[in-house]
Coordinates of all heavy atoms in Angstrom, one line a residue:
M10 N -66.4 -216.4 128.2 CA -65.2 -216.5 127.4 C -64.2 -215.5 128.0 O -64.4 -214.4 128.2 CB -65.5 -216.0 125.9 CG -64.4 -216.1 125.0 SD -64.5 -215.1 123.5 CE -66.1 -215.7 122.8
T11 N -63.0 -216.1 128.3 CA -61.9 -215.3 128.8 C -61.0 -215.0 127.6 O -60.6 -215.9 126.9 CB -61.1 -216.0 129.8 OG1 -62.0 -216.4 130.9 CG2 -60.0 -215.0 130.4
L12 N -60.6 -213.7 127.4 CA -59.8 -213.3 126.2 C -58.4 -213.3 126.6 O -58.0 -212.8 127.6 CB -60.2 -211.9 125.8 CG -61.7 -211.8 125.4 CD1 -62.0 -210.4 125.0 CD2 -62.1 -212.7 124.2
Q13 N -57.5 -214.0 125.8 CA -56.1 -214.1 126.1 C -55.4 -212.7 125.7 O -54.6 -212.3 126.3 CB -55.5 -215.2 125.3 CG -56.0 -216.6 125.6 CD -55.9 -217.0 127.0 OE1 -54.9 -216.7 127.6 NE2 -56.9 -217.7 127.5
S14 N -55.9 -212.2 124.6 CA -55.4 -210.9 124.1 C -56.5 -210.2 123.4 O -57.4 -210.9 123.0 CB -54.2 -211.1 123.2 OG -54.5 -211.9 122.1
P15 N -56.4 -208.9 123.1 CA -57.6 -208.2 122.5 C -57.8 -208.8 121.1 O -56.9 -209.0 120.3 CB -57.1 -206.8 122.4 CG -56.0 -206.6 123.4 CD -55.4 -208.0 123.5
P16 N -59.0 -209.3 120.8 CA -59.3 -209.9 119.6 C -59.5 -208.9 118.4 O -59.8 -207.7 118.7 CB -60.7 -210.6 119.8 CG -61.3 -209.8 120.9 CD -60.2 -209.2 121.7
L17 N -59.3 -209.3 117.2 CA -59.6 -208.5 116.0 C -61.1 -208.5 115.8 O -61.7 -209.6 115.8 CB -58.9 -209.2 114.8 CG -59.1 -208.4 113.5 CD1 -58.5 -207.0 113.5 CD2 -58.6 -209.2 112.3
L18 N -61.7 -207.3 115.8 CA -63.1 -207.1 115.6 C -63.4 -206.6 114.2 O -62.9 -205.5 113.9 CB -63.7 -206.3 116.7 CG -63.5 -206.7 118.1 CD1 -64.1 -205.8 119.1 CD2 -64.1 -208.2 118.3
E19 N -64.3 -207.3 113.5 CA -64.7 -206.8 112.1 C -66.3 -206.9 112.1 O -66.9 -208.0 112.3 CB -64.2 -207.7 111.1 CG -62.7 -207.8 111.0 CD -62.2 -208.9 110.1 OE1 -62.3 -210.1 110.6 OE2 -61.6 -208.6 109.1
L20 N -66.9 -205.7 111.8 CA -68.3 -205.6 111.7 C -68.8 -205.5 110.3 O -68.4 -204.6 109.6 CB -68.8 -204.4 112.5 CG -70.3 -204.3 112.6 CD1 -70.9 -205.4 113.5 CD2 -70.7 -202.9 113.0
Y21 N -69.6 -206.5 109.9 CA -70.3 -206.4 108.6 C -71.6 -205.7 108.9 O -72.3 -206.1 109.8 CB -70.5 -207.8 108.0 CG -69.2 -208.4 107.5 CD1 -68.3 -209.0 108.3 CD2 -69.0 -208.5 106.1 CE1 -67.1 -209.5 107.9 CE2 -67.8 -209.1 105.6 CZ -66.8 -209.5 106.5 OH -65.7 -210.1 106.1
Y22 N -71.9 -204.7 108.0 CA -73.1 -203.9 108.3 C -73.5 -203.2 107.1 O -72.8 -203.2 106.0 CB -72.7 -202.9 109.4 CG -72.0 -201.7 108.9 CD1 -72.5 -200.5 108.7 CD2 -70.6 -201.8 108.5 CE1 -71.8 -199.4 108.2 CE2 -69.9 -200.8 108.0 CZ -70.6 -199.6 107.9 OH -69.8 -198.5 107.3
F23 N -74.7 -202.5 107.2 CA -74.9 -201.4 106.2 C -75.7 -200.3 107.0 O -76.4 -200.6 107.9 CB -75.6 -201.8 104.9 CG -77.0 -202.4 105.1 CD1 -78.1 -201.6 105.1 CD2 -77.2 -203.8 105.2 CE1 -79.4 -202.1 105.1 CE2 -78.5 -204.3 105.3 CZ -79.6 -203.5 105.3
D24 N -75.5 -199.1 106.5 CA -76.0 -197.9 107.2 C -77.5 -197.9 107.5 O -77.9 -197.4 108.6 CB -75.6 -196.6 106.5 CG -74.3 -196.1 106.9 OD1 -73.9 -196.4 108.1 OD2 -73.6 -195.4 106.1
A25 N -78.3 -198.3 106.5 CA -79.8 -198.2 106.7 C -80.3 -199.3 107.5 O -81.6 -199.3 107.8 CB -80.5 -198.2 105.3
C26 N -79.5 -200.2 108.0 CA -80.0 -201.3 108.9 C -80.2 -200.9 110.3 O -79.1 -200.5 111.0 CB -79.0 -202.5 108.8 SG -79.2 -203.7 110.0
P27 N -81.4 -200.9 110.9 CA -81.5 -200.4 112.3 C -80.8 -201.2 113.3 O -80.4 -200.7 114.3 CB -83.1 -200.4 112.5 CG -83.6 -201.4 111.4 CD -82.6 -201.3 110.3
Y28 N -80.8 -202.5 113.0 CA -80.1 -203.4 113.9 C -78.6 -203.1 114.0 O -77.8 -203.2 115.0 CB -80.3 -204.8 113.6 CG -81.7 -205.2 113.5 CD1 -82.4 -205.3 112.2 CD2 -82.5 -205.5 114.6 CE1 -83.7 -205.6 112.1 CE2 -83.8 -205.7 114.6 CZ -84.5 -205.8 113.3 OH -85.7 -206.1 113.2
C29 N -78.0 -202.7 112.8 CA -76.6 -202.3 112.7 C -76.4 -201.0 113.4 O -75.4 -200.8 114.1 CB -76.2 -202.1 111.2 SG -76.4 -203.6 110.2
Q30 N -77.4 -200.1 113.3 CA -77.2 -198.8 113.9 C -77.1 -198.9 115.4 O -76.4 -198.2 116.0 CB -78.4 -197.9 113.5 CG -78.3 -197.3 112.1 CD -77.0 -196.5 111.9 OE1 -76.5 -195.8 112.9 NE2 -76.5 -196.5 110.7
R31 N -77.8 -199.8 116.0 CA -77.7 -199.9 117.5 C -76.4 -200.5 117.9 O -75.8 -200.1 119.0 CB -79.0 -200.6 118.2 CG -79.2 -202.0 117.7 CD -80.5 -202.4 118.4 NE -80.9 -203.8 118.2 CZ -82.0 -204.4 118.7 NH1 -82.8 -203.7 119.5 NH2 -82.2 -205.6 118.4
V32 N -75.9 -201.4 117.1 CA -74.5 -202.0 117.4 C -73.5 -200.9 117.2 O -72.6 -200.7 118.0 CB -74.2 -203.2 116.5 CG1 -72.8 -203.5 116.6 CG2 -75.1 -204.3 116.8
L33 N -73.6 -200.1 116.1 CA -72.7 -199.0 115.9 C -72.6 -198.0 117.0 O -71.6 -197.4 117.5 CB -73.0 -198.3 114.5 CG -72.7 -199.1 113.3 CD1 -73.4 -198.5 112.1 CD2 -71.2 -199.3 113.0
K34 N -73.9 -197.7 117.5 CA -74.0 -196.8 118.6 C -73.3 -197.3 119.9 O -72.5 -196.5 120.6 CB -75.5 -196.5 118.9 CG -75.8 -195.5 119.9 CD -77.3 -195.2 120.0 CE -77.5 -194.2 121.2 NZ -78.9 -194.1 121.4
K35 N -73.4 -198.6 120.1 CA -72.8 -199.2 121.3 C -71.2 -199.2 121.1 O -70.5 -198.8 122.1 CB -73.3 -200.6 121.5 CG -72.6 -201.5 122.5 CD -72.9 -200.9 123.9 CE -74.3 -201.0 124.3 NZ -74.5 -200.3 125.7
I36 N -70.8 -199.4 119.9 CA -69.3 -199.4 119.7 C -68.8 -198.0 120.0 O -67.8 -197.8 120.5 CB -69.0 -199.8 118.2 CG1 -69.3 -201.3 118.1 CG2 -67.6 -199.5 117.8 CD1 -69.3 -201.8 116.6
D37 N -69.6 -197.0 119.5 CA -69.2 -195.6 119.7 C -69.2 -195.2 121.1 O -68.3 -194.6 121.6 CB -70.2 -194.8 118.9 CG -69.8 -193.3 118.7 OD1 -68.6 -193.2 118.3 OD2 -70.5 -192.4 119.0
Q38 N -70.2 -195.6 121.9 CA -70.3 -195.3 123.3 C -69.1 -195.9 124.1 O -68.5 -195.3 124.9 CB -71.6 -196.0 123.9 CG -72.8 -195.2 123.6 CD -74.1 -196.0 124.1 OE1 -74.0 -197.1 124.4 NE2 -75.2 -195.3 124.0
L39 N -68.7 -197.1 123.7 CA -67.7 -197.8 124.4 C -66.3 -197.5 123.9 O -65.3 -197.9 124.4 CB -67.9 -199.4 124.4 CG -69.2 -199.9 125.0 CD1 -69.4 -201.3 124.7 CD2 -69.1 -199.7 126.5
K40 N -66.2 -196.7 122.7 CA -65.0 -196.4 122.1 C -64.1 -197.5 121.8 O -62.9 -197.5 122.0 CB -64.3 -195.4 123.0 CG -65.0 -194.1 123.3 CD -64.2 -193.1 124.0 CE -64.9 -191.8 124.3 NZ -66.2 -191.5 123.9
I41 N -64.7 -198.6 121.2 CA -64.0 -199.8 120.8 C -63.5 -199.7 119.4 O -64.2 -199.2 118.5 CB -64.9 -201.0 121.0 CG1 -65.3 -201.2 122.5 CG2 -64.2 -202.3 120.4 CD1 -66.4 -202.1 122.7
K42 N -62.3 -200.2 119.2 CA -61.7 -200.2 117.8 C -62.2 -201.4 117.0 O -62.1 -202.5 117.5 CB -60.2 -200.3 117.9 CG -59.5 -200.2 116.5 CD -58.0 -200.0 116.7 CE -57.3 -200.0 115.4 NZ -56.6 -201.1 115.1
V43 N -62.9 -201.1 115.9 CA -63.5 -202.1 115.0 C -63.2 -201.8 113.6 O -63.2 -200.6 113.3 CB -65.1 -202.1 115.3 CG1 -65.8 -203.1 114.3 CG2 -65.4 -202.5 116.7
S44 N -63.0 -202.8 112.8 CA -63.0 -202.6 111.3 C -64.4 -202.7 110.8 O -65.1 -203.7 111.1 CB -62.0 -203.6 110.7 OG -60.7 -203.4 111.2
Y45 N -64.7 -201.8 109.9 CA -66.1 -201.8 109.3 C -66.1 -202.3 107.9 O -65.3 -201.8 107.1 CB -66.6 -200.4 109.4 CG -66.7 -199.9 110.9 CD1 -65.8 -199.0 111.4 CD2 -67.8 -200.3 111.7 CE1 -65.9 -198.6 112.7 CE2 -67.9 -199.9 113.0 CZ -67.0 -199.0 113.4 OH -67.1 -198.6 114.8
L46 N -67.0 -203.2 107.6 CA -67.2 -203.7 106.2 C -68.6 -203.5 105.8 O -69.5 -204.3 106.2 CB -66.8 -205.2 106.2 CG -65.3 -205.4 106.7 CD1 -65.3 -206.0 108.1 CD2 -64.5 -206.2 105.7
D47 N -68.8 -202.5 105.0 CA -70.2 -202.1 104.5 C -70.5 -203.1 103.3 O -69.8 -203.1 102.4 CB -70.3 -200.7 104.1 CG -71.6 -200.2 103.6 OD1 -72.3 -201.0 103.0 OD2 -72.0 -199.1 104.0
I48 N -71.6 -203.9 103.5 CA -71.8 -204.9 102.5 C -72.4 -204.4 101.2 O -72.5 -205.1 100.2 CB -72.7 -206.1 103.0 CG1 -74.1 -205.6 103.5 CG2 -72.0 -206.8 104.3 CD1 -75.1 -206.7 103.8
Y49 N -73.0 -203.1 101.3 CA -73.5 -202.6 100.0 C -72.5 -201.6 99.4 O -72.5 -201.4 98.2 CB -74.8 -201.9 100.2 CG -75.9 -202.9 100.5 CD1 -76.6 -203.0 101.7 CD2 -76.2 -203.7 99.4 CE1 -77.5 -204.0 101.9 CE2 -77.2 -204.7 99.6 CZ -77.9 -204.8 100.8 OH -78.8 -205.8 101.0
D50 N -71.6 -201.0 100.2 CA -70.6 -200.2 99.7 C -69.6 -201.0 98.9 O -69.0 -200.5 97.9 CB -69.8 -199.5 100.9 CG -69.0 -198.4 100.5 OD1 -69.4 -197.6 99.6 OD2 -67.8 -198.3 101.0
N51 N -69.4 -202.2 99.3 CA -68.3 -203.1 98.6 C -69.0 -204.5 98.5 O -69.0 -205.2 99.5 CB -67.1 -203.1 99.4 CG -66.0 -203.9 98.7 OD1 -66.2 -204.7 97.9 ND2 -64.7 -203.6 99.0
T52 N -69.3 -204.9 97.3 CA -70.0 -206.2 97.2 C -69.1 -207.4 97.6 O -69.5 -208.5 97.9 CB -70.6 -206.4 95.8 OG1 -69.4 -206.2 94.9 CG2 -71.6 -205.5 95.4
Q53 N -67.8 -207.2 97.6 CA -66.9 -208.2 98.0 C -67.1 -208.6 99.4 O -66.9 -209.7 99.9 CB -65.4 -207.8 97.8 CG -65.0 -207.8 96.3 CD -63.6 -207.6 96.1 OE1 -62.9 -207.1 97.0 NE2 -63.1 -207.8 94.9
H54 N -67.5 -207.5 100.2 CA -67.7 -207.8 101.7 C -69.0 -208.7 101.8 O -69.0 -209.6 102.6 CB -68.0 -206.5 102.4 CG -66.8 -205.5 102.4 ND1 -65.5 -206.0 102.4 CD2 -66.7 -204.2 102.4 CE1 -64.7 -205.0 102.4 NE2 -65.4 -203.9 102.5
M55 N -70.0 -208.4 101.0 CA -71.2 -209.2 101.1 C -70.8 -210.7 100.6 O -71.3 -211.7 101.2 CB -72.3 -208.7 100.3 CG -73.6 -209.5 100.5 SD -74.9 -209.1 99.4 CE -75.5 -207.5 99.9
E56 N -70.1 -210.8 99.6 CA -69.7 -212.1 99.1 C -68.9 -212.9 100.1 O -69.1 -214.1 100.3 CB -68.9 -212.0 97.8 CG -69.7 -211.6 96.5 CD -69.0 -211.0 95.4 OE1 -67.8 -211.2 95.4 OE2 -69.6 -210.4 94.5
K57 N -68.0 -212.2 100.8 CA -67.2 -212.8 101.8 C -68.1 -213.3 103.0 O -68.0 -214.4 103.5 CB -66.1 -211.9 102.3 CG -65.1 -212.7 103.2 CD -63.9 -211.8 103.5 CE -63.0 -212.5 104.5 NZ -61.9 -211.7 104.9
L58 N -69.0 -212.4 103.4 CA -69.9 -212.8 104.5 C -70.7 -214.0 104.1 O -70.9 -215.0 104.9 CB -70.8 -211.6 104.8 CG -71.9 -211.8 105.9 CD1 -71.3 -211.9 107.3 CD2 -72.9 -210.5 105.9
L59 N -71.3 -214.0 102.9 CA -72.1 -215.1 102.4 C -71.2 -216.4 102.3 O -71.7 -217.5 102.7 CB -72.6 -214.8 101.1 CG -73.7 -215.7 100.5 CD1 -74.9 -216.0 101.4 CD2 -74.2 -215.2 99.2
M60 N -70.0 -216.3 101.8 CA -69.1 -217.5 101.6 C -68.8 -218.1 103.0 O -68.8 -219.3 103.2 CB -67.9 -217.0 100.9 CG -67.0 -218.2 100.5 SD -65.5 -217.5 99.6 CE -64.6 -216.7 101.0
I61 N -68.5 -217.3 104.0 CA -68.0 -217.8 105.3 C -69.2 -218.3 106.2 O -69.1 -219.3 106.8 CB -67.2 -216.8 106.1 CG1 -66.0 -216.4 105.3 CG2 -66.9 -217.2 107.5 CD1 -65.2 -215.2 105.9
T62 N -70.3 -217.5 106.1 CA -71.4 -217.9 107.0 C -72.6 -218.5 106.4 O -73.5 -219.1 107.1 CB -71.9 -216.6 107.8 OG1 -72.6 -215.7 106.8 CG2 -70.7 -215.8 108.4
G63 N -72.7 -218.4 105.0 CA -73.9 -218.9 104.3 C -75.1 -218.0 104.5 O -76.2 -218.3 104.1
R64 N -74.8 -216.8 105.1 CA -76.0 -215.9 105.3 C -75.5 -214.4 104.9 O -74.3 -214.2 104.8 CB -76.3 -215.8 106.8 CG -76.8 -217.1 107.4 CD -76.9 -217.0 108.9 NE -77.8 -216.0 109.4 CZ -78.1 -215.8 110.7 NH1 -77.6 -216.6 111.6 NH2 -79.0 -214.9 111.0
K65 N -76.5 -213.6 104.6 CA -76.2 -212.2 104.3 C -76.7 -211.3 105.4 O -76.8 -210.1 105.2 CB -76.9 -211.8 102.9 CG -76.3 -212.5 101.7 CD -76.9 -211.8 100.5 CE -78.4 -212.3 100.3 NZ -78.9 -211.8 99.0
T66 N -77.0 -211.8 106.5 CA -77.6 -211.1 107.6 C -76.6 -210.2 108.3 O -75.5 -210.7 108.6 CB -78.2 -212.1 108.6 OG1 -79.1 -213.0 108.0 CG2 -79.1 -211.3 109.7
V67 N -77.0 -209.0 108.5 CA -76.2 -208.1 109.3 C -77.0 -207.5 110.4 O -78.3 -207.5 110.3 CB -75.6 -206.9 108.4 CG1 -74.5 -207.5 107.5 CG2 -76.7 -206.2 107.6
P68 N -76.5 -207.0 111.5 CA -75.0 -207.0 111.7 C -74.5 -208.4 112.0 O -75.1 -209.3 112.5 CB -74.9 -206.1 113.0 CG -76.2 -206.4 113.7 CD -77.2 -206.5 112.6
C69 N -73.2 -208.5 111.6 CA -72.4 -209.7 112.0 C -71.0 -209.3 112.4 O -70.3 -208.6 111.7 CB -72.3 -210.6 110.8 SG -71.4 -212.1 111.1
L70 N -70.7 -209.6 113.7 CA -69.4 -209.2 114.2 C -68.5 -210.5 114.2 O -68.8 -211.4 114.8 CB -69.6 -208.7 115.6 CG -68.2 -208.3 116.3 CD1 -67.7 -207.0 115.7 CD2 -68.4 -208.1 117.8
F71 N -67.4 -210.3 113.5 CA -66.3 -211.4 113.5 C -65.4 -211.0 114.7 O -64.8 -210.0 114.7 CB -65.6 -211.5 112.2 CG -66.4 -212.2 111.1 CD1 -67.4 -211.6 110.5 CD2 -65.9 -213.5 110.7 CE1 -68.1 -212.4 109.5 CE2 -66.6 -214.2 109.8 CZ -67.7 -213.7 109.2
I72 N -65.3 -212.0 115.5 CA -64.4 -211.9 116.7 C -63.2 -212.9 116.4 O -63.5 -214.1 116.5 CB -65.1 -212.2 118.0 CG1 -66.4 -211.4 118.1 CG2 -64.2 -212.1 119.2 CD1 -67.4 -211.9 119.2
D73 N -62.1 -212.4 116.0 CA -61.0 -213.2 115.7 C -61.4 -214.3 114.6 O -61.0 -215.5 114.8 CB -60.3 -213.9 116.9 CG -59.3 -213.0 117.5 OD1 -58.8 -212.0 116.9 OD2 -58.9 -213.3 118.7
G74 N -62.3 -213.8 113.7 CA -62.6 -214.8 112.6 C -63.9 -215.6 112.9 O -64.4 -216.2 111.9
S75 N -64.4 -215.5 114.1 CA -65.6 -216.2 114.4 C -66.9 -215.3 114.3 O -66.9 -214.3 115.0 CB -65.6 -216.9 115.8 OG -64.6 -217.8 115.8
P76 N -67.9 -215.6 113.5 CA -69.0 -214.8 113.3 C -70.0 -214.8 114.5 O -70.3 -215.9 115.0 CB -69.6 -215.3 112.0 CG -69.3 -216.7 111.9 CD -67.9 -216.8 112.6
M77 N -70.4 -213.7 114.9 CA -71.5 -213.6 115.8 C -72.7 -212.7 115.2 O -72.5 -211.6 114.7 CB -71.1 -212.9 117.1 CG -72.2 -212.7 118.1 SD -71.7 -211.8 119.6 CE -70.8 -213.1 120.5
F78 N -73.9 -213.3 115.1 CA -75.1 -212.6 114.6 C -75.9 -212.1 115.8 O -75.5 -212.4 116.9 CB -75.9 -213.5 113.8 CG -75.3 -214.0 112.5 CD1 -74.6 -215.1 112.3 CD2 -75.3 -213.1 111.4 CE1 -74.0 -215.5 111.1 CE2 -74.7 -213.4 110.1 CZ -74.1 -214.6 110.0
E79 N -76.9 -211.5 115.5 CA -77.9 -210.9 116.5 C -77.3 -209.7 117.2 O -76.4 -209.7 118.0 CB -78.3 -212.0 117.5 CG -79.2 -213.1 117.0 CD -80.5 -212.5 116.4 OE1 -81.0 -211.6 116.9 OE2 -80.9 -213.2 115.4
S80 N -78.0 -208.5 116.9 CA -77.5 -207.3 117.4 C -77.4 -207.3 118.9 O -76.5 -206.7 119.5 CB -78.4 -206.1 116.9 OG -79.7 -206.4 117.1
L81 N -78.4 -207.8 119.6 CA -78.4 -207.9 121.1 C -77.3 -208.7 121.6 O -76.7 -208.3 122.6 CB -79.8 -208.3 121.6 CG -80.9 -207.4 121.5 CD1 -82.2 -207.9 122.0 CD2 -80.7 -206.0 122.1
D82 N -77.0 -209.8 121.0 CA -75.9 -210.7 121.5 C -74.6 -209.9 121.3 O -73.7 -210.0 122.2 CB -75.9 -212.0 120.7 CG -77.0 -212.9 121.0 OD1 -77.7 -212.7 122.1 OD2 -77.2 -213.9 120.2
I83 N -74.5 -209.2 120.1 CA -73.2 -208.5 119.9 C -73.0 -207.4 120.9 O -72.0 -207.2 121.5 CB -73.3 -207.9 118.4 CG1 -73.2 -209.1 117.4 CG2 -72.1 -207.0 118.2 CD1 -73.5 -208.6 116.0
M84 N -74.1 -206.6 121.1 CA -74.0 -205.5 122.1 C -73.7 -206.0 123.5 O -72.8 -205.4 124.2 CB -75.4 -204.8 122.1 CG -75.6 -204.0 120.8 SD -77.3 -203.5 120.6 CE -77.5 -202.3 121.8
N85 N -74.3 -207.1 123.9 CA -74.1 -207.7 125.2 C -72.6 -208.2 125.3 O -71.9 -208.0 126.3 CB -75.0 -208.8 125.5 CG -76.4 -208.4 125.8 OD1 -76.6 -207.2 126.2 ND2 -77.4 -209.3 125.6
W86 N -72.1 -208.8 124.2 CA -70.7 -209.3 124.2 C -69.7 -208.1 124.3 O -68.8 -208.2 125.1 CB -70.4 -210.1 123.0 CG -69.1 -210.8 123.0 CD1 -68.8 -212.0 123.4 CD2 -67.9 -210.2 122.5 NE1 -67.5 -212.2 123.3 CE2 -66.9 -211.2 122.8 CE3 -67.5 -209.0 121.9 CZ2 -65.6 -210.9 122.5 CZ3 -66.2 -208.8 121.7 CH2 -65.2 -209.7 121.8
L87 N -70.0 -207.0 123.6 CA -69.2 -205.9 123.6 C -69.1 -205.3 125.0 O -68.0 -204.9 125.5 CB -69.6 -204.8 122.6 CG -69.4 -205.2 121.1 CD1 -70.2 -204.2 120.2 CD2 -67.9 -205.3 120.7
E88 N -70.3 -205.1 125.6 CA -70.4 -204.5 126.9 C -69.6 -205.4 127.9 O -68.9 -204.9 128.7 CB -71.9 -204.6 127.2 CG -72.5 -203.8 128.3 CD -72.4 -202.3 128.2 OE1 -73.2 -201.7 127.4 OE2 -71.6 -201.7 128.9
K89 N -69.8 -206.7 127.8 CA -69.2 -207.6 128.8 C -67.6 -207.6 128.7 O -66.9 -207.7 129.7 CB -69.7 -209.1 128.6 CG -69.2 -210.1 129.6 CD -69.9 -211.4 129.3 CE -69.2 -212.5 130.2 NZ -69.6 -213.8 129.8
H90 N -67.1 -207.5 127.5 CA -65.7 -207.6 127.3 C -65.0 -206.3 127.0 O -63.8 -206.2 126.7 CB -65.3 -208.5 126.1 CG -65.8 -210.0 126.3 ND1 -67.0 -210.4 125.9 CD2 -65.2 -211.0 127.0 CE1 -67.1 -211.7 126.3 NE2 -66.0 -212.0 127.0
S91 N -65.8 -205.2 127.2 CA -65.3 -203.9 126.8 C -63.9 -203.5 127.4 O -63.0 -203.0 126.7 CB -66.3 -202.9 127.4 OG -65.7 -201.6 127.2
E92 N -63.6 -203.9 128.7 CA -62.4 -203.5 129.3 C -61.2 -204.3 128.7 O -60.0 -203.8 128.8 CB -62.4 -203.8 130.8 CG -63.4 -202.8 131.4 CD -63.2 -202.8 133.0 OE1 -62.4 -203.6 133.5 OE2 -64.0 -202.0 133.6
Q93 N -61.5 -205.4 128.0 CA -60.4 -206.2 127.4 C -60.2 -205.8 125.9 O -59.3 -206.4 125.3 CB -60.6 -207.7 127.6 CG -60.9 -208.1 129.0 CD -61.6 -209.4 129.1 OE1 -61.1 -210.4 128.7 NE2 -62.9 -209.3 129.5
L94 N -61.0 -205.0 125.4 CA -60.9 -204.7 124.0 C -60.1 -203.5 123.7 O -59.9 -202.6 124.5 CB -62.4 -204.5 123.4 CG -63.3 -205.7 123.6 CD1 -64.7 -205.3 123.1 CD2 -62.7 -206.9 122.9
T95 N -59.5 -203.4 122.4 CA -58.7 -202.2 122.0 C -59.6 -201.0 121.8 O -60.7 -201.2 121.2 CB -58.0 -202.6 120.7 OG1 -57.2 -203.8 120.9 CG2 -57.0 -201.5 120.3
K96 N -59.2 -199.9 122.4 CA -60.0 -198.7 122.3 C -59.4 -197.7 121.2 O -58.2 -197.8 120.9 CB -60.0 -198.0 123.6 CG -60.6 -198.8 124.8 CD -62.1 -199.1 124.5 CE -62.7 -200.1 125.4 NZ -62.7 -199.8 126.8
I97 N -60.3 -196.9 120.7 CA -59.8 -196.0 119.7 C -59.2 -194.7 120.5 O -59.5 -194.4 121.6 CB -60.9 -195.5 118.7 CG1 -62.1 -194.9 119.5 CG2 -61.2 -196.6 117.8 CD1 -63.1 -194.3 118.6
Ligands
GSH104 N1 -82.6 -210.1 114.9 C1 -81.5 -209.7 114.0 C2 -82.2 -209.0 112.8 C3 -81.1 -208.7 111.7 C4 -81.8 -208.3 110.4 O1 -83.0 -208.6 110.2 N2 -81.0 -207.7 109.5 C5 -81.5 -207.4 108.2 C6 -81.1 -206.0 107.8 S1 -81.9 -204.7 108.7 C7 -80.8 -208.4 107.2 O2 -79.6 -208.5 107.2 N3 -81.7 -209.0 106.4 C8 -81.2 -209.8 105.3 C9 -81.0 -211.3 105.6 O3 -81.2 -211.7 106.8 O4 -80.6 -212.0 104.7 C10 -80.6 -208.7 114.9 O5 -81.1 -208.2 115.8 O6 -79.5 -208.6 114.5

């Protein structure tokens, strides 16, 4: 995937999820700007995740509105596109 402009990144997650933690660590390492949506901190986030994807599974990274599941896929995608992403 070639990115035309830096995409909006939104991560649905919760703290106690180990798969989320490894994605959070990768985001931190790469210093990528991401919006965080904790699904237990705010039930509206979980409802939105369920409404859009039909699933409650996290981590889920929305890339310009398109959901990506699987922590390893998300980490690989972030790594691959890191240079084109907005940094903090
Ligand atoms: N293989 C997935 C596992 C993700 C997973 O099992 N997440 C748990 C939380 S730790 C979850 O969301 N379970 C609830 C569900 O799938 O509905 C990954 O690596 O992302």
Side-chain angles (χ1 to χ4, degrees):
M10 184 199 303
T11 305
L12 302 176
Q13 302 299 324
S14 58
L17 176 68
L18 300 179
E19 300 168 290
L20 182 72
Y21 287 76
Y22 79 106
F23 63 88
D24 271 335
C26 164
Y28 305 100
C29 299
Q30 282 301 328
R31 62 182 179 181
V32 170
L33 291 167
K34 189 172 171 192
K35 177 61 68 181
I36 291 169
D37 195 47
Q38 281 171 355
L39 297 171
K40 301 187 182 354
I41 295 167
K42 182 169 179 254
V43 173
S44 295
Y45 297 101
L46 302 107
D47 185 320
I48 63 168
Y49 286 113
D50 192 43
N51 184 338
T52 52
Q53 287 185 347
H54 296 329
M55 188 191 286
E56 285 162 16
K57 190 170 175 192
L58 179 65
L59 187 58
M60 189 179 69
I61 296 173
T62 69
R64 299 171 61 177
K65 288 189 290 185
T66 309
V67 290
C69 180
L70 180 70
F71 279 74
I72 305 164
D73 274 344
S75 295
M77 176 183 283
F78 290 101
E79 290 302 326
S80 52
L81 287 179
D82 289 346
I83 295 169
M84 291 161 71
N85 287 337
W86 187 91
L87 292 170
E88 198 64 79
K89 185 174 172 194
H90 296 94
S91 174
E92 292 194 357
Q93 302 158 71
L94 301 176
T95 306
K96 299 297 168 60
I97 53 168

